[in-house]
Amino acid sequence: MKRDRPGLLARLSEVLRPHEPISRSAYLAGVGASAVGIFALWAILTYGGLVAPLFLPSPSDIVRAAAALIADGSLAEHTWASVNVIVTGWVLAVLLAVPLGILMGTLKFVEALLEPVVNFVRYLPVSAMIPLLILYIGIGTPQKVAVIFIGTFFQLILLIADVSANVPKDLLDSAYTLGARRSDVFGRVLLPATLPGVMDNLRITMGWAWTYLIVAELVAANRGLGYMILDASRGLFTDRIFVGLFTIGLLGFGFDATFKRLHRLLLPWSPKI
Amino acid sequence: MVAQNLRLAIRGLSVVFTRRRGGSVTAVENLSLGVREEEFVSIVGPSGCGKSTLLRIVAGLIRPTSGEVMLDDRPVEGPGADRGMVFQSYTLFPWLTVQGNVEFGLRLRGRPPEERREIAHRYLDLVGLRGTEPAYPKELSGGMQQRVAIARAMANEPAILLMDEPFGALDAQTRSVMQELLLRVWEQTHKTVLFVTHDIDEAILLSDRIYVMTTRPGRIKTEVAVTLPRPREVSVMDTPEFIALRQRVHGLIREETLRVLGLESRDHL
Ligand SMILES: Nc1ncnc2c1ncn2[C@@H]1O[C@H](COP(=O)(O)OP(=O)(O)O)[C@@H](O)[C@H]1O
Ligand SMILES: [Mg+2]
């Protein structure tokens, strides 16, 4: 079974068929090509002197800035502060939005109670609520947590409501014909049936929570990656801004991968894996 | 068969659905039927004639507008474990294993674990699925999922088993194997079954009696007794008796289908 190695063009056309799976090696080649490509472009722009360091620092500048921030412990401190704020705000949002969302998608009456309010609030820019938040709860960590909470809660509740509204009615009816009462149906059918969708949306809203970081650390912060970036921009320390961005990107990547792993680990039955 | 008591009695049943934007649909009108103990009864009729609605009423999932449904001389007031149901769609709980699915009803009634396991094994054996206990539904084919659904409904030992086109979503080959399997299961258990289908051969092969429904609003058009001897083999489908029954039922349903199309007789075609 000896075959000629296909030419580059033939192999390219092989991996570019719509909606067709490709081999793992072809996929990894794509990942590698994008990483190498971006890095090469970056190196040419900076070391080639095409862009001033003020706008785009070179890779070595950023490594140097990162090393300094790691050495004096400030990067760890800022990271810890931000993770704390984001995870707290997000967990509070999840604890409330998941049960309320499930009820909202299941009971028309709860939908009537919540949906108009949620749809009104979710269009309000979180930054516009900061003055009120300061008035209500001051300028400490709770205010920052509240920003993350508001930013995720109102989106998450709608996503979860959609997940629970899409649980097939026949699944509930099956449970009834097997002797389930209404109270059984919530805990034994609706809750487990929504878990895969809930898990997906937890992952997605965790990503959104990070995008509110700057807004959360806009006011009276003295720690946090958002603060670090804002502070660096005042002194035009572009390299530190990039260190902050890289750290946020890596954390987001890590959280995302963790959620995907957890999904596979905790819900081995999920049709989504 | 000695048992001649009416297990299920439906009298003067009507269901009117009111549409959200006003207007109403009469799905079932003044329908009466009975199912005896240990009897396998099928309902056939053109699609949209109210077969599913009828079954859901017996299951207690919908309330009728008027009329009565009696199970063992007690009125049906809501859903309950005494009426098991198998749906056309795949309704196994994806988060439970095959074992967990079959045990679902027993667990609700607080049966002890050893007893649940023993009953689950018995009914999985009955549908030929011993050994699949630890599998999740997503690992099973459509036919296997429906067999588990049958085992799950039967494990509750309901007074009547309601089946709404349970093989409707399966391919022709699988469907015919499933019909044979259900035939074997019924011969071993003599469960009282009310079975909805639009597959005429399926109805004749499995049933003791067939009710043919009219187009909407659904009523009973005729009752056809299937006198083919039991135990039956699939080869019974080639006998003159079977072919005569098929022609008769086919003709009855065709009359109704022509009516839906606004064609009172074939002369208009
Ligand atoms: N919940 C409902 N609301 C309004 N109309 C319905 C509802 N359920 C069924 N119907 C109508 O009742 C009729 C009978 O439906 P169904 O019992 O599903 O028929 P079959 O199972 O015989 O195909 C159909 O015309 C259908 O549109
Ligand atoms: Mg139907």
Side-chain angles (χ1 to χ4, degrees), chain A residues 100-158:
Chain A
L100 284 177
I102 290 179
L103 290 177
M104 185 171 149
T106 312
L107 303 171
K108 279 283 165 207
F109 189 67
V110 177
E111 180 190 308
L113 286 176
L114 294 180
E115 201 186 56
V117 184
V118 171
N119 269 329
F120 178 81
V121 178
R122 82 190 173 102
Y123 280 97
L124 305 177
V126 180
S127 46
M129 289 191 237
I130 288 183
L132 280 179
L133 289 176
I134 294 174
L135 188 63
Y136 297 156
I137 52 179
I139 53 172
T141 305
Q143 180 266 333
K144 295 162 182 52
V145 170
V147 168
I148 304 292
F149 176 86
I150 294 171
T152 46
F153 173 79
F154 294 97
Q155 312 290 339
L156 186 58
I157 190 169
L158 286 182

Side-chain angles (χ1 to χ4, degrees), chain B residues 17 25 27 46-53 216:
Chain B
F17 289 114
V25 191
S47 73
C49 74
K51 303 183 294 293
S52 296
T53 304
R216 213 183 64 210

